[in-house]
Amino acid sequence: MKKFLFLIIFAISGLIFADTGISAKKDTGDTILELIKEVEEEPASEKNLPKYERIIKFAEESEEVQIFLIDELYKFPDAKVSQTNRRIIQGSYVSGALKKQLENKQKIITISDGIKNELKVYKILRETKYVKVEYLEQLLDIERQGGIGQLYYNYDVMGMEMYQSATGMQEDADTLINALKFPFFLEASGEKVLITDINFNVLADLTTIIGFYAVSDDYDKSQAVLDKKSKEIAEKLLKNDTLKKIYEKNNYSGIMIEYTTPKVKQSKNEIYKTMTEKNQYVEMKDEAKQFLLEKETVKEQENEK
């Protein structure tokens, strides 16, 4: 299960040739730290763009560091900014967030360091390239009013809570997957429903819910019927000892059942046959498809031994 979704940037990483930032083999934490120190000399310069790309790529792919790419600080989709300046601002945020982690060789929450570096570079770009990003302008106003320290603290606390939540959810997910043996069927409202996968979500207020994907043949039923069935399934799932322990231990805010249904009306037997045949899952979430395919692949490999 992926904890975080990142923008994937295709770049080659490793040894540096001249000042291009192009590389020949995979970057390490030490090489990235050197790149961060290099771009600090001229942090808003376009010539550092290839280096910023390598730094961002490392942050997205490496297990050595922990970084949160928060929308308002990193994506700012509505801002009218050139792609080059956008990547320089993004690279400056990532560089600031990584530096202490790489120096200390330890995963620590450094959102505030990322923002500080981002604002430093943004100030240069807004003066020299007339760049304007609304949220960063708001942060500059907060800085002028003397409240930026509290904002840094709030972001770091949020990051720590997100990190702890994500780590705990991954452990819970692994435990549940091993205990519940997906996929499995449950009876609800007199119908057999296939439970295909599990998903843990961190909500905006940092509370969490446990979500299950369910496939049924209720293509003609109202939302009220599906909501009632969701409640019944949640109640049945909570009777599972493993799930009950996890739910009570972490004070999860709820269980969510997300339904998918076939496009074409079929008999129940046809639907269950279709749902359980390889590469024939109907209208399932991609995560559910991948989960079942991986399960089948493992089973096939075991049978071949």
Side-chain angles (χ1 to χ4, degrees), residues 293-305:
L293 287 172
E294 288 174 358
K295 281 277 188 181
E296 288 181 350
T297 301
V298 171
K299 189 175 181 181
E300 287 174 359
Q301 290 173 345
E302 290 176 349
N303 292 337
E304 289 173 359
K305 290 180 181 179

Side-chain angles (χ1 to χ4, degrees), residues 91-233:
S92 65
Y93 170 78
V94 174
S95 297
L98 290 190
K99 189 174 181 182
K100 280 184 182 176
Q101 296 187 62
L102 296 175
E103 287 177 335
N104 298 334
K105 298 188 183 303
Q106 181 183 11
K107 288 183 183 180
I108 52 179
I109 305 305
T110 51
I111 296 176
S112 59
D113 287 340
I115 301 173
K116 289 173 189 175
N117 203 48
E118 182 176 25
L119 288 180
K120 180 177 74 173
V121 173
Y122 176 66
K123 287 175 184 177
I124 298 171
L125 289 175
R126 73 196 291 268
E127 296 297 328
T128 60
K129 301 290 181 68
Y130 308 105
V131 171
K132 187 173 182 180
V133 177
E134 192 57 41
Y135 187 72
L136 298 184
E137 290 292 326
Q138 294 175 24
L139 295 191
L140 292 183
D141 285 340
I142 293 172
E143 185 179 57
R144 284 190 285 268
Q145 294 166 19
I148 198 73
Q150 183 63 46
L151 182 137
Y152 290 153
Y153 174 78
N154 291 342
Y155 266 116
D156 283 343
V157 169
M158 181 187 75
M160 180 59 70
E161 289 176 339
M162 288 176 69
Y163 177 69
Q164 292 171 342
S165 203
T167 303
M169 285 192 295
Q170 183 64 54
E171 294 171 354
D172 290 348
D174 292 341
T175 301
L176 277 178
I177 286 171
N178 290 331
L180 298 180
K181 306 297 181 189
F182 297 111
F184 62 90
F185 287 98
L186 278 179
E187 292 286 339
S189 302
E191 182 190 0
K192 209 175 184 185
V193 178
L194 179 64
I195 307 296
T196 63
D197 199 4
I198 184 172
N199 180 41
F200 286 74
N201 292 322
V202 182
L203 304 181
D205 60 357
L206 300 176
T207 59
T208 54
I209 57 176
I210 305 173
F212 292 93
Y213 297 124
V215 185
S216 87
D217 60 354
D218 267 337
Y219 33 72
D220 290 330
K221 300 294 176 63
S222 68
Q223 187 60 49
V225 171
L226 292 178
D227 288 344
K228 180 181 178 183
K229 189 179 295 185
S230 294
K231 185 178 179 181
E232 290 181 24
I233 292 174

